[in-house]
Amino acid sequence: MLQAGRGFGTSEGLRLLNNFHRICKVKYGVYYVLKCDISQFFASIDHEILKKKVKRRIKEKDSLKIVYDIIDSENPGLGIGSMTSQILAIFYLNDMDHYIKEELKIKYYVRYQDDFILLHESKDYLKMCLEKIKEFLTKEKLTLNRKTRIYKSTNNFIFLGRNKKGKYARYRQLKRKIKRKLKDYNQGEVNLSSLASTVIAYKMNNNKKIVKKNKK
């Protein structure tokens, strides 16, 4: 799991994932990747569930009231603009992180906000994990969206705006992805944060292409 803040952003997530790819390639040769994305994550966060989670960690009444007031200032779910909301959103899935690592025994696991990846040698085991994660998220009042799927290690896929090798997704791929993401956003399938991440990745990739042309 990656926190918001310096040193714990998308770069660290990609570094961890690339490291896990190298380890799994050496250990297994061919392996499988379960890539998951939660539908409308921030908007779907349940206030009462979040408060119960916070209460387990914060015992001082005045501090607890401040956090509760922050949670109740947004409705529905949490906003995506403030650092406080980002931290609370990350914390909301902390129990899922422990479940995946400790109960499902997944050693190679990376999560950034509501995007997360599991790597394992067995496709059948990841299929079982997927069903268990769906059941777990139901109790958290969350669902996985239709982009969730299992990839073979030889397949390419995009995670945090980059492909399996850590390179930015190709210009046309991202352009098509933005169109799909915008459609999903309009239909309520993804949140604004997910749409913004795709647009940012597209702009960064486009700027990189412009720099290369100017160097020629």
Side-chain angles (χ1 to χ4, degrees):
M1 184 273 291
L2 301 170
Q3 299 174 352
R6 186 175 180 182
F8 295 93
T10 57
S11 296
E12 178 65 8
L14 293 166
R15 186 195 68 77
L16 282 174
L17 182 58
N18 289 335
N19 186 47
F20 289 160
H21 277 308
R22 288 192 292 269
I23 293 172
C24 289
K25 186 174 182 179
V26 172
K27 288 181 68 174
Y28 310 126
V30 175
Y31 55 98
Y32 295 88
V33 178
L34 171 57
K35 181 176 177 290
C36 300
D37 190 4
I38 295 175
S39 178
Q40 292 189 300
F41 175 50
F42 279 83
S44 300
I45 291 174
D46 185 271
H47 285 196
E48 295 308 312
I49 293 176
L50 178 56
K51 287 178 181 178
K52 288 179 182 178
K53 292 176 184 288
V54 170
K55 191 175 182 180
R56 295 203 303 261
R57 297 296 186 93
I58 300 176
K59 302 302 180 183
E60 206 277 318
K61 290 184 178 180
D62 290 338
S63 298
L64 195 61
K65 183 180 183 304
I66 292 172
V67 178
Y68 281 3
D69 288 343
I70 292 172
I71 293 171
D72 289 335
S73 67
E74 302 283 354
N75 191 38
L78 295 176
I80 63 173
S82 69
M83 181 60 72
T84 306
S85 293
Q86 298 282 330
I87 293 171
L88 287 170
I90 291 170
F91 176 69
Y92 193 81
L93 291 179
N94 186 58
D95 291 337
M96 183 191 74
D97 295 331
H98 285 284
Y99 178 73
I100 291 173
K101 297 284 288 184
E102 297 165 13
E103 299 296 325
L104 299 182
K105 307 297 182 183
I106 294 296
K107 186 175 182 180
Y108 307 112
Y109 168 64
V110 180
R111 175 170 71 86
Y112 181 79
Q113 293 290 15
D114 58 322
D115 295 324
F116 55 99
I117 279 184
L118 293 72
L119 295 84
H120 198 272
E121 62 182 312
S122 170
K123 184 177 182 179
D124 288 336
Y125 188 75
L126 286 181
K127 286 181 179 179
M128 183 275 291
C129 288
L130 176 57
E131 295 307 312
K132 293 290 185 180
I133 290 169
K134 286 179 179 178
E135 292 175 8
F136 186 91
L137 289 176
T138 297
K139 294 183 291 184
E140 305 289 314
K141 296 189 178 180
L142 299 171
T143 58
L144 296 173
N145 65 29
R146 62 185 181 183
K147 293 176 294 184
T148 298
R149 58 172 290 190
I150 296 174
Y151 294 87
K152 194 174 182 179
S153 60
T154 53
N155 297 144
N156 197 11
F157 59 88
I158 305 300
F159 182 64
L160 305 182
R162 300 198 187 190
N163 63 23
K164 189 179 69 174
K165 295 181 179 180
K167 297 180 179 180
Y168 285 106
R170 289 198 301 270
Y171 177 85
R172 290 181 180 178
Q173 285 181 326
L174 275 171
K175 194 172 182 178
R176 288 195 297 269
K177 186 175 182 181
I178 285 177
K179 289 182 179 179
R180 290 196 302 269
K181 189 66 71 71
L182 182 59
K183 181 180 179 181
D184 290 342
Y185 174 73
N186 290 331
Q187 293 176 347
E189 291 287 331
V190 300
N191 59 35
L192 183 59
S193 177
S194 180
L195 175 62
S197 296
T198 303
V199 173
I200 290 170
Y202 172 82
K203 288 184 176 180
M204 289 177 68
N205 186 68
N206 195 31
N207 290 339
K208 190 176 179 181
K209 287 168 68 70
I210 293 171
V211 170
K212 285 184 176 181
K213 286 182 180 179
N214 289 337
K215 287 181 177 180
K216 291 181 179 179

